[in-house]
Amino acid sequence: MGHLTVRRDFRSAGIGTYVILTALALFAVGPIVLFFLNALKTDSEYAESSLGLPGTWRWSNFVEAWTTANMGAGLLNSAIVVGGTILLTCLVAGLAAYALARLEIRGNSAFITYVLVASSLPAQMFLVPLFFLWARAGLYDTRFGLILICTGLFSPFATLLLRSFLLGMPREFEEAARMDGAGELGVLTRIVLPNALPGLLTIALTTGLSAYNEFLFAVTMIQTEAKMPVSTTLFAFQQGYTQNYPLVSAAGVIMIAPMLILFLALQRRFTDGVASSGLGGA
């Protein structure tokens, strides 16, 4: 019966669907595999062919890239920025989404429109005003200042996503808690947030990936080498070792490995959270 079901599913989906999915998978995974293979080559092998397999697998390139590019400090700074951004974004988005989804607030629709507009504006238009504001406020060249910027960038989308998730949740448990004497803060912390964990996890993952890959504000707001996140650390290393492409590739693999592993480990929860929020399409 199992084989018959698989055959029926294969026929109903069509061979063309599987061909397209396979091509898309190769398109997504191919550059990463090529990047990894180039990181194991010597300079001469890379000069001969950047698409072939390495003749001698130089695993020492990763060790040399780790020490030369100071990737350890970059990853630590990125972990601090990502962790702080996730905590602040989940706090801001959680409170805002609960208010928009559950409380009857005057001007609710206008605020939602404002959040939609804010999430669609290009971040580059805020770069110059933020630079002067952060310099006067003493937040320039600080990791906390970068965390605040990332929180402001990613909170609008996170609020909309979590609000859509909360709108799909039943209100019976909240009404029962209010009948027992719980206030709005108690309902939020004891009832709503525990049931909204899939949505919060989706927010945490998308926010973490975006903060980890943030480059424009990181390269503008952080100048001290010891405070640079891994994205600007890799950029600085690439500028200094432009001709040594295997070492640059090795440093790039080190940079993408943590987020790639994290996403693969949590991809099921991520897709479930997006589907539950209603943003995955009908």
Side-chain angles (χ1 to χ4, degrees):
M1 291 294 294
H3 294 292
L4 292 176
T5 303
V6 172
R7 289 180 180 178
R8 289 175 182 174
D9 293 340
F10 183 80
R11 291 174 180 175
S12 61
I15 299 177
T17 302
Y18 288 93
V19 172
I20 294 175
L21 291 176
T22 302
L24 290 175
L26 292 175
F27 180 77
V29 179
I32 299 177
V33 174
L34 184 62
F35 204 39
F36 177 75
L37 293 177
N38 286 335
L40 297 172
K41 296 178 180 178
T42 62
D43 289 336
S44 58
E45 288 174 343
Y46 183 88
E48 291 177 2
S49 175
S50 60
L51 301 177
L53 293 174
T56 56
W57 296 64
R58 291 175 56 92
W59 298 99
S60 59
N61 285 347
F62 290 100
V63 178
E64 186 176 353
W66 176 273
T67 55
T68 307
N70 199 16
M71 298 295 290
L75 289 173
L76 178 61
N77 292 328
S78 289
I80 295 173
V81 172
V82 169
T85 302
I86 288 176
L87 289 177
L88 283 181
T89 302
C90 287
L91 177 63
V92 172
L95 295 174
Y98 177 75
L100 293 175
R102 289 295 192 259
L103 304 181
E104 295 182 1
I105 304 175
R106 181 179 299 179
N108 194 327
S109 59
F111 187 78
I112 294 175
T113 303
Y114 169 77
V115 173
L116 281 171
V117 173
S119 61
S120 62
L121 292 176
Q124 291 82 353
M125 66 183 300
F126 305 110
L127 185 61
V128 175
L130 275 175
F131 180 84
F132 288 102
L133 179 62
W134 255 227
R136 290 186 176 183
L139 294 173
Y140 179 75
D141 199 21
T142 63
R143 285 169 294 202
F144 180 67
L146 184 59
I147 290 173
L148 290 180
I149 291 175
C150 292
T151 302
L153 289 175
F154 310 138
S155 290
F157 173 76
T159 300
L160 294 175
L161 191 149
L162 190 58
R163 174 183 174 272
S164 300
F165 186 88
L166 293 179
L167 289 176
M169 290 175 51
R171 302 193 179 194
E172 286 77 9
F173 293 111
E174 302 168 39
E175 295 173 355
R178 290 190 183 95
M179 293 180 63
D180 291 338
E184 291 299 331
L185 185 60
V187 171
L188 173 64
T189 57
R190 298 177 184 178
I191 305 298
V192 177
L193 291 183
N195 291 309
L197 282 179
L200 288 173
L201 182 61
T202 304
I203 289 174
L205 186 57
T206 54
T207 301
L209 288 172
S210 300
Y212 189 81
N213 293 324
E214 173 58 41
F215 176 77
L216 176 62
F217 286 96
V219 77
T220 304
M221 298 297 181
I222 303 294
Q223 297 298 320
T224 304
E225 185 177 355
K227 300 177 183 178
M228 287 183 178
V230 69
S231 58
T232 53
T233 299
L234 177 62
F235 176 74
F237 178 67
Q238 182 180 3
Q239 296 301 307
Y241 286 80
T242 308
Q243 302 301 322
N244 200 329
Y245 292 105
L247 279 186
V248 174
S249 299
V253 171
I254 293 173
M255 174 184 170
I256 66 175
M259 287 294 106
L260 183 62
I261 295 173
L262 181 63
F263 180 79
L264 291 177
L266 300 176
Q267 62 174 336
R268 184 177 297 275
R269 292 182 178 271
F270 171 73
T271 53
D272 291 344
V274 172
S276 300
S277 68
L279 296 179

